[in-house]
DNA sequence: GGTCTTCTCAACCAATCAGTTGAATAACCC
DNA sequence: GGGTTATTCAACTGATTGGTTGAGAAGACC
């Protein structure tokens, strides 16, 4: 919910390895070792990635002997989607209004509007 | 579309100032100076933030004399939403199946399942 | 042409990050 | 108890990041 957590969630998913981990956890829970296997980085590195994901609230873990199986917390995704949707909608609405303005100006003398090329 | 751009988009939105800028651009286009005004950082810092947003494809700019008004590119949000939705759905589906398994086991002797507390 | 405005580029700095290796913790298995 | 397995903690390293200041570049305005 907090601005801070939103930052952590986005930052967590900015890394392709972490997104990959999320993808795999979506299929099913897995231990650190299982998650580390496909990558040629140390287990400690993957453990760190998982810590980042946990701090963002995207992942939780339980305990099974020495193992600490990771579990994807899907609900946090909603927070992100809510944020994204808000601004996407707002921007689309604005675009729709601009279209209307341009159309109404078409009826008149239509002064040139700077709708310049991107970059 | 590329894995790389997805990383850049998430990374761009991991910063609260940049999210703020996106929020303001959703309301309407604005120049660097206008965007910088509310923050007590240099214009150059905001210019850098805008470069990050542009590299991620979230923002574009046109030219109006010395000014380079920024414009929000709402379509990139769809890419993010698509990514998020995929794994959220997958995780929810899995959760639903787990529920079904647990329910079916209820009919039998029901061995204990480790559904331990998170961190 | 000179000056003001708007913005970017370049160099620098402190902090954070993703990776490493090595040691420690903790619970299993014989 | 001794060894193996699974994982984390700690210290280090090189790269990236968000900020700074100073110097352009490009165009308006007089």
């Amino acid at each position: 919910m907090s601005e801070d957590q939103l930052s952590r969630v986005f930052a967590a998913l900015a890394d392709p390895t972490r997104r990959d981990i999320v993808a795999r956890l979506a299929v099913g829970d897995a231990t650190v070792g299982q998650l580390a296997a496909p990558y040629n980085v140390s287990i400690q590195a993957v453990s760190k990635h998982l810590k980042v994901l946990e701090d963002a609230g995207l992942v939780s873990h339980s305990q099974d002997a020495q193992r600490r199986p990771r579990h994807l917390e899907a609900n946090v995704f909603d927070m992100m989607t809510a944020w994204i949707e808000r601004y996407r909608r707002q921007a689309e609405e604005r675009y729709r209004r601009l279209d209307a303005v341009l159309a109404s100006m078409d009826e008149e003398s239509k002064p040139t509007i700077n709708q310049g090329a991107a970059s």
Side-chain angles (χ1 to χ4, degrees), chain A residues 3-24:
Chain A
E3 184 75 352
D4 219 54
Q5 193 191 359
L6 197 51
S7 291
R8 280 197 297 269
V9 171
F10 278 121
L13 295 176
D15 185 283
T17 305
R18 285 196 291 260
R19 282 202 305 280
D20 213 51
I21 289 173
V22 165
R24 290 179 58 215

Side-chain angles (χ1 to χ4, degrees), chain A residues 18-84:
Chain A
R18 285 196 291 260
R19 282 202 305 280
D20 213 51
I21 289 173
V22 165
R24 290 179 58 215
L25 287 176
V27 177
D29 294 2
T31 66
V32 179
Q34 287 168 343
L35 289 168
Y39 311 105
N40 51 357
V41 298
S42 64
I43 281 201
Q44 290 95 320
V46 173
S47 185
K48 272 193 184 180
H49 280 309
L50 287 166
K51 185 167 182 347
V52 172
L53 289 168
E54 285 203 29
D55 288 348
L58 283 159
V59 160
S60 65
H61 70 269
S62 41
Q63 179 135 12
D64 166 29
Q66 317 102 348
R67 268 151 259 118
R68 302 193 200 18
R70 265 29 187 223
H71 175 77
L72 188 62
E73 290 294 326
N75 52 305
V76 183
F77 286 71
D78 296 340
M79 188 178 64
M80 252 191 309
T81 312
W83 188 90
I84 292 165

